[in-house]
Amino acid sequence: MQDAAERAVVRAIDKMRNNLSEQLTVDDMARAAMFSKFHFTRIFQRVTGVSPGRFLSAIRLQEAKRLLMTTNLNVTDISLRVGYNSVGTFSTRFTKSVGLPPTTYRRMGGYTGRISTQQISTGTATVSGRITMDSNDSPPGLIFMGLFQHRIPEGLPIRCAILDTPGHFRFTNVPDGTWYLLCHAMSGEVFRLQPKNVMVATVGPLVVRVRQRYEVDAQLKPVSKLDPPVLLALLDARKAAFERQYGTSSTPAIAA
């Protein structure tokens, strides 16, 4: 059962989702949550792991992804619908967060054929552990997992991999820094990102230092309104699975 803080944050998130084309302020969100501006910002950060403004930006781009896949609206119209007055600013932010320009994302059906990693100098730390899930939940599809700089899975991870099923993982040569382990699994079509077919897990922040070994466990759970959207374009899991099974690709479907 949600506590009072979570219910307040859900009210603010509903306000965001219902007014994406408007220029919402933190005051507007705080009023929807029925908290003071200062108290609201602290509570929102605690519950979701990100600031209200960052969460709003993420759901704007999440809605843009949906519109690109389910409508014939052009990029300019979509940018206006999700609150951007400049199509150039929208395209730049979409590309940086999703990993593909809006038109490419639409052309590729919402998937990407490959997820690269950031070109950060190789480190010496190791992050390993186990991904689990509740026995009552339905089996997920392939599980994407990566180490990211921020709580929202966007842009390029520093390390990433795919698991066929929940189980053990291991990242080596992890650079020094503060990282988040973000995981998601999805069954069904990419544009039908509903709670029933998306599972997520988050661990962090992980403060990684030279030559250290870190053991972390993460449990997949159905995505909720309180989870920041997954902005990174999803790997074409069907193609990746085929290539991994039959060895039809000369390059890996995903870099780790």
Side-chain angles (χ1 to χ4, degrees):
M1 181 179 294
Q2 292 179 324
D3 62 21
E6 289 182 347
R7 290 195 297 271
V9 171
V10 167
R11 287 195 297 271
I13 292 172
D14 286 342
K15 176 75 171 180
M16 296 178 194
R17 293 189 182 279
N18 293 331
N19 298 275
L20 288 180
S21 63
E22 300 179 12
Q23 299 305 308
L24 291 177
T25 67
V26 174
D27 286 326
D28 296 328
M29 303 176 209
R31 279 193 293 272
M34 294 186 287
F35 279 131
S36 69
K37 178 179 177 180
F38 174 74
H39 189 53
F40 166 72
T41 300
R42 289 193 300 108
I43 292 297
F44 195 99
Q45 181 87 36
R46 177 176 66 80
V47 170
T48 68
V50 298
S51 69
R54 189 68 196 83
F55 200 102
L56 174 59
S57 177
I59 62 175
R60 290 189 195 280
L61 294 178
Q62 181 189 46
E63 175 64 4
K65 289 170 66 178
R66 189 190 70 81
L67 291 172
L68 284 165
M69 294 307 307
T70 60
T71 74
N72 293 320
L73 293 170
N74 61 41
V75 172
T76 299
D77 289 339
I78 289 174
S79 68
L80 291 172
R81 285 202 179 196
V82 298
Y84 285 87
N85 294 324
S86 165
V87 66
T89 299
F90 165 73
S91 295
T92 297
R93 292 184 181 175
F94 188 99
T95 303
K96 181 179 179 180
S97 295
V98 178
L100 299 170
T103 52
T104 304
Y105 181 82
R106 170 177 273 169
R107 186 177 71 249
M108 296 184 67
Y111 292 100
T112 181
R114 177 184 176 86
I115 298 176
S116 300
T117 54
Q118 287 192 50
Q119 298 302 310
I120 296 179
S121 58
T122 300
T124 57
T126 299
V127 177
S128 60
R130 184 177 177 84
I131 304 295
T132 61
M133 61 180 291
D134 192 297
S135 59
N136 295 322
D137 290 325
S138 301
L142 294 182
I143 302 165
F144 169 81
M145 55 188 307
L147 291 173
F148 291 83
Q149 289 181 308
H150 305 290
R151 171 68 178 78
I152 295 176
E154 63 177 342
L156 299 180
I158 60 159
R159 295 290 181 271
C160 58
I162 281 184
L163 299 181
D164 296 304
T165 60
H168 291 283
F169 70 92
R170 178 182 172 88
F171 292 123
T172 59
N173 301 321
V174 177
D176 291 3
T178 300
W179 313 112
Y180 289 85
L181 174 66
L182 303 174
C183 316
H184 69 261
M186 185 195 74
S187 59
E189 295 298 327
V190 67
F191 55 85
R192 300 186 187 278
L193 298 183
Q194 301 300 322
K196 65 182 179 181
N197 68 353
V198 180
M199 302 187 76
V200 296
T202 302
V203 179
L206 303 172
V207 181
V208 173
R209 294 291 179 260
V210 62
R211 296 188 181 87
Q212 297 297 308
R213 295 178 180 272
Y214 302 84
E215 288 286 331
V216 298
D217 292 327
Q219 183 171 16
L220 289 166
K221 63 179 182 63
V223 68
S224 76
K225 280 186 177 182
L226 299 172
D227 291 305
V230 175
L231 295 183
L232 181 68
L234 299 179
L235 185 74
D236 189 339
R238 295 163 298 183
K239 180 179 178 182
F242 183 86
E243 290 177 347
R244 291 172 64 186
Q245 181 175 355
Y246 298 104
T248 59
S249 176
S250 60
T251 58
I254 186 166

